Amino acid sequence: MRAIRIHETGGAERLQWDEVPVPEPKAGEVRIRVEAVGVNFIEIYQRSGLYSIPLPGVLGLEAAGAISAVGPGVTGWAVGQRIATVKAEGAYAQETIVPAAHAVEVPSSVTAKQAAAVLLQGMTAHYLAYSTYPLKPGDTALVHAAAGGVGLLLIQIAKRCGARVLGTVGDPAKAALAKQAGADEIVLYRQEDFAAAVKRLTGGRGVDVVYDSVGKDTFEGSLNSLRPRGMMVSYGNASGPVPPFAPLLLTQKGSLFFTRPSLAHHTLTREELIGRTTALFGWMKAGQLDVRIGGEFPLEKAADAHRALESRGTTGKLLLIP
Ligand code: NDP
């Protein structure tokens, strides 16, 4: 079979369309024939070397497809069943291994493309809004990169929780999409000082929480956008990692709370994993969650998908199709 591998870290040109053996599932694993792969920013961090993975390695965590083989001792899963996962052992491939404990059954109302489009970013938006800073009516949240994959889902989920949502985006077309998703106010943060805009839009008070996936470029402005004792949620590094800072900075900015969460720690139990995915699939079936697929690329063109995501030129979710 074919898979996209990296042999050394670097730019998108490092993604190679290699011939590799079909993996055999071991105890506790199943294999799927991949129908759709979700592209996530983490793969750019792994490709560039910001996060390290064993090399050579097949990239990709998020995939949906039908089970093609079941490992020894696995119960509850059978060949042909439709599943999705955010823990694939190399999703940029025609077939991939999935730990059975991290497989999620895809309901008949959801296509493989929709499942690969919603699972990772949807569960991220879910834990940010329900677990990291549980939003409630009366809260105001600031969502950066609001027209991105996580951004569009987080706006919709934050609105479900009753919060007022301010979003930042890179251009007017993205502003229209974020508005359509339910954002109350949009700031074009490449043109305007977003912290000043946030203060203006909140009558000088600041927001209760900032969900910041941009990292280095927005860190200080995000702290300046918070009300005293507000919560800074730094959950990504699209512009580069946040540099080290002294805890005293949080005091100076208003006795702020700071957290740097990860999806892995919000899907620790099977109950938590299924709870979050059941909510997402249920909202999709009820027409209450719009999952925007912003682009599809043939698997062998994964480098083009990486270049698009890195260049800030995409909205919603990117998929690779084997
Ligand atoms: P997005 O679709 O949001 O794409 C990234 C967006 O970030 C861009 O479209 C752009 O939007 C904005 N951006 C701002 N500055 C830059 C820059 N210098 N380079 C590139 N993009 C920039 O991606 P995802 O939805 O896949 O992921 C969003 C973030 O969430 C990532 O940082 C990712 O690591 C993080 N994440 C974290 C998880 C966790 O559990 N901690 C889980 C999942 C994702 P604009 O043009 O509007 O500025």
Side-chain angles (χ1 to χ4, degrees), residues 135-158:
L135 288 166
K136 55 188 186 310
D139 283 339
T140 302
L142 176 62
V143 175
H144 286 312
V150 178
L152 287 174
L153 296 167
L154 182 53
I155 292 171
Q156 296 175 70
I157 295 175

Side-chain angles (χ1 to χ4, degrees), residues 15-37:
L15 301 185
Q16 290 188 19
W17 185 227
D18 285 350
E19 186 71 39
V20 297
V22 176
E24 280 308 317
K26 300 191 286 290
E29 297 176 341
V30 299
R31 186 180 69 214
I32 58 170
R33 182 156 305 122
V34 180
E35 290 170 38
V37 181

Side-chain angles (χ1 to χ4, degrees), residues 19 43-44 61 145 152 159 219:
E19 186 71 39
E43 288 116 44
I44 292 175
L61 298 167
L152 287 174
K159 290 307 295 177
F219 175 65

Side-chain angles (χ1 to χ4, degrees), residues 104-128:
V104 174
E105 186 164 18
V106 177
S108 57
S109 56
V110 174
T111 65
K113 286 183 182 179
Q114 289 171 321
V118 77
L119 218 61
L120 197 149
Q121 294 171 333
M123 283 200 286
T124 301
H126 189 279
Y127 87 70
L128 291 172

Side-chain angles (χ1 to χ4, degrees), residues 39-42 45 51 120-121 124 127 144-151 168-171 174 189-190 213-214 217 234-240 260-264 309-317:
V39 178
N40 291 288
F41 230 92
I42 190 169
Y45 305 143
Y51 298 172
L120 197 149
Q121 294 171 333
T124 301
Y127 87 70
H144 286 312
V150 178
T168 59
V169 294
D171 64 48
K174 291 184 175 186
Y189 60 175
R190 296 175 93 166
S213 61
V214 174
D217 289 356
S234 173
Y235 74 97
N237 341 283
S239 68
R260 195 358 182 142
S262 146
L263 176 60
L309 190 57
E310 281 177 295
S311 71
R312 305 178 73 163
T314 66
T315 58
K317 183 72 178 185

Side-chain angles (χ1 to χ4, degrees), residues 91 192 219 251 308:
E192 193 182 354
F219 175 65
T251 318

